[in-house]
Structures are given as C-alpha cells and as structure tokens.
Amino acid sequence: MEWENHTILVEFFLKGLSGHPRLELLFFVLIFIMYVVILLGNGTLILISILDPHLHTPMYFFLGNLSFLDICHTTTSISSTLVSFLSERKTISLSGCAVQMFLSLAMGTTECVLLGMMAFDHYVAICNPLRYPIFMSKDAYVSMAAGSWIIGAVNSAVQTVFVVQLPFCRNNIINHFTCEILAVMKLACADISGNEFILLVTTTLFLLTPLLLIIVSYTLIIVSIFKISSSEGRSKPSSTCSAHLTVVITFCGTIFLMYMKPRSQETLNSDDLDATDKLIFIFYRVMTPTMNPLIYSLRNKDVKEAVKHLLRRKNFNK
C-alpha cells in the first residue's frame, strides 16, 4: 500500500488545553461541579420515574432513558477529560480512541432519535388522547426506545469502522479534549472526503429526520392547543411541550454548530481548532445534560410532586 513505508500511529496525544495550566485547573473545577450536578439531577429523574407509580407512563419512560443517556454520554467523554486536566500523560491508544468515538456517536445519535420519539408521544397524547393507549402501549413505547438505542449503535459502528480503517501516519496530536470524530479524521494521511460525506449524510439523516418529526408534531400540537377554550386546559400541555422544546433547541442547536456548519478547506487542513469549537463541545457535552433535569423539573408539576414525595419518604424512614 502507498503508506506502507510510513510510521503507523498506535496512540494519540489529546491537546485540549495543554500549555494553559491555570485554564486547565479552572475548567476542571467547573466541569467537575457540573458533572456532579448531572449525576444527581439525572439520577433523581431516573429514580422517581422508577419508584413513583404515577410516572409509569410513556413520557416518563422516555425521560428516564434520556436521563440515562445524558449520564452515559457525559461519563464516556468528560471523565477522561477531567483526568487529562490533572495528568501529565494525555495520550490515548488507537483502540481507546475508537471506543470513545463509538460511545460518543452512539449516545448522540440515540438522543436525537429519542427526542423525536418524545415529540411523537406528546403529539398523540394531546391531539389523539382517545387513541393514546393504542398507539402508545407498553410494547410500542418500549420498542420505540429500544429502536433509538439500536439506530444509535448501528450508525456509530459504521462511522467508527470507517474511521479506524484510515491510515494515521503524519502527526498524532488531536487538537481536542477527546477523540472527536472530525478531529481524528483530520490526522489521516489519506483522502477523507468519503468519510466526510458519510458523516454528513448520517448526521443529516439522524438529526434532520427527528427534527422534522418534532416540527410536524409541534405544529399540530400548537394548532390543537389553540382550539382549547379554557386557559387551564392549555396550561399543562403548554408547560410539558415547552420543556421538551427547550431541550430540543439546546441539543440540536449545538449539534448543528458542531457538525453541519460550513468549514473552509483552510480550516480543515489547519492544525489549530478554533476556540469556538471547543466551547461548543463543552456546552454540548456538559451544559446540555446539566440543564435537562432543571428544565423538566422546573416546568413539570408531576416531577416536582414526585421529588417531594421521594424526600418525604426518605425523611419518614429516618
């Protein structure tokens, strides 16, 4: 093969904030605090969705899956980032990088599809309440959630396999906090236009399709809400939908900025990643999972009541 005489890389150096020790310490403290909030907030949502019988519905089943995804998605990337901030060794093996890419892509894709499923659930609940038990039976919503996980795993496996088959023989410096797929592809000493095209197609498919489902669902929901005469009848669906829409806009917005913004050829061939991209990455991986429990709990009376009930039970047992 053409690259046979080159040195084949077996590990990568994660640049992150190397050379800025004070910034590394600051980011470590901030990200660690937010990571603890992510574990506590999302863990609480998972706990109440399991323990409270009133929350044994499709909506809270999806919400529990979303919280579990947020914990897994953050742990797969942020935990290693935190360690690298305090460690002098900032290298990662090719196999470790592949695992990190696979988990990150799988969780991200699953979350996109799951948000689309949640929008459909809201549509059926509000626009077709009489048919809701039929459309959203236990078999149906469990299959929808499982399908989201399977789609995420398959898409991620395909992407990861295509990337690890590339020859890496130039430099081993990944100008990022983790093995982010675009940052890794730039290191390949081969034409990556095919990989970029596949990434664009899959990102479009698994981001725009759920987004289209969300837009259609909420257009029909808004029309249905305006038909409700009483303000009290409008309040509950409005608060539930606004929480979900806030999460969708935050999550999908950062995905668009990361993977679908125009990139000049100069940027693609540059060794320096724009600082904006790193900030977007931090927002996507840390801020969004931190905000999700707050968004759902502050705008949802059922969640508030379930948390209060859980705390009363805990105090009573003491």
Side-chain angles (χ1 to χ4, degrees):
M1 299 176 75
E2 290 182 8
W3 46 272
E4 209 169 33
N5 294 326
H6 291 271
T7 301
I8 307 303
L9 300 179
V10 293
E11 67 177 15
F12 297 103
F13 176 83
L14 296 169
K15 188 174 181 181
L17 293 173
S18 296
H20 304 280
R22 290 183 181 179
L23 272 180
E24 282 189 325
L25 183 60
L26 176 63
F27 268 72
F28 174 84
V29 173
L30 292 175
I31 293 174
F32 180 75
I33 291 171
M34 287 189 283
Y35 183 51
V36 172
V37 173
I38 288 167
L39 294 178
L40 292 175
N42 288 285
T44 301
L45 283 178
I46 294 170
L47 195 62
I48 62 173
S49 67
I50 294 172
L51 297 179
D52 196 316
H54 298 97
L55 301 186
H56 291 174
T57 63
M59 173 184 166
Y60 293 103
F61 178 77
F62 288 134
L63 185 56
N65 272 263
L66 185 65
S67 295
F68 181 67
L69 263 173
D70 281 339
I71 290 174
C72 294
H73 200 181
T74 309
T75 301
T76 56
S77 55
I78 295 304
S79 56
S80 60
T81 302
L82 289 173
V83 171
S84 71
F85 282 155
L86 299 180
S87 173
E88 292 185 3
R89 180 178 173 82
K90 302 179 187 296
T91 56
I92 184 170
S93 66
L94 179 60
S95 58
C97 198
V99 170
Q100 203 172 73
M101 278 192 295
F102 171 79
L103 292 174
S104 176
L105 284 167
M107 301 298 170
T109 305
T110 301
E111 191 156 350
C112 285
V113 179
L114 193 61
L115 287 171
M117 299 296 185
M118 292 175 74
F120 177 74
D121 171 65
H122 291 160
Y123 158 72
V124 178
I126 295 169
C127 300
N128 292 284
L130 297 178
R131 296 184 180 181
Y132 187 79
I134 299 171
F135 283 116
M136 298 304 295
S137 64
K138 187 174 182 178
D139 288 341
Y141 68 75
V142 169
S143 299
M144 289 164 69
S148 301
W149 285 90
I150 292 169
I151 289 170
V154 171
N155 174 52
S156 182
V158 171
Q159 296 284 358
T160 304
V161 166
F162 275 112
V163 172
V164 297
Q165 287 182 342
L166 291 169
F168 298 98
C169 47
R170 288 177 183 168
N171 70 72
N172 68 335
I173 301 174
I174 299 176
N175 194 11
H176 218 292
F177 296 107
T178 64
C179 289
E180 196 272 330
I181 189 167
L182 283 174
V184 174
M185 284 197 300
K186 291 176 192 177
L187 300 182
C189 48
D191 181 17
I192 61 170
S193 57
N195 294 76
E196 289 177 332
F197 177 74
I198 293 169
L199 181 63
L200 177 64
V201 170
T202 54
T203 302
T204 302
L205 178 64
F206 296 119
L207 180 60
L208 292 187
T209 302
L211 192 59
L212 181 62
L213 177 61
I214 291 166
I215 291 169
V216 172
S217 296
Y218 276 104
T219 301
L220 296 172
I221 287 170
I222 291 168
V223 171
S224 180
I225 288 175
F226 277 119
K227 289 180 181 178
I228 301 173
S229 56
S230 67
S231 58
E232 188 179 337
R234 293 179 184 177
S235 62
K236 186 172 181 179
S238 297
S239 64
T240 302
C241 293
S242 62
H244 182 249
L245 272 177
T246 305
V247 171
V248 169
I249 291 168
T250 305
F251 179 78
C252 293
T254 50
I255 291 284
F256 268 111
L257 287 172
M258 283 179 66
Y259 294 113
M260 302 193 74
K261 68 176 183 177
R263 291 174 180 265
S264 65
Q265 191 64 29
E266 181 183 356
T267 303
L268 285 171
N269 293 331
S270 172
D271 291 331
D272 295 322
L273 186 69
D274 184 28
T276 306
D277 289 340
K278 291 184 179 180
L279 291 174
I280 292 170
F281 172 82
I282 292 295
F283 187 83
Y284 166 60
R285 289 293 173 85
V286 182
M287 287 300 294
T288 305
T290 304
M291 291 165 59
N292 284 358
L294 297 174
I295 292 168
Y296 278 107
S297 59
L298 291 174
R299 299 301 303 271
N300 193 305
K301 291 181 180 178
D302 292 335
V303 172
K304 288 180 183 178
E305 289 299 320
V307 172
K308 288 177 183 176
H309 180 68
L310 184 66
L311 291 174
R312 281 197 297 265
R313 265 178 52 178
K314 186 178 179 181
N315 290 332
F316 180 76
N317 290 335
K318 285 182 179 180

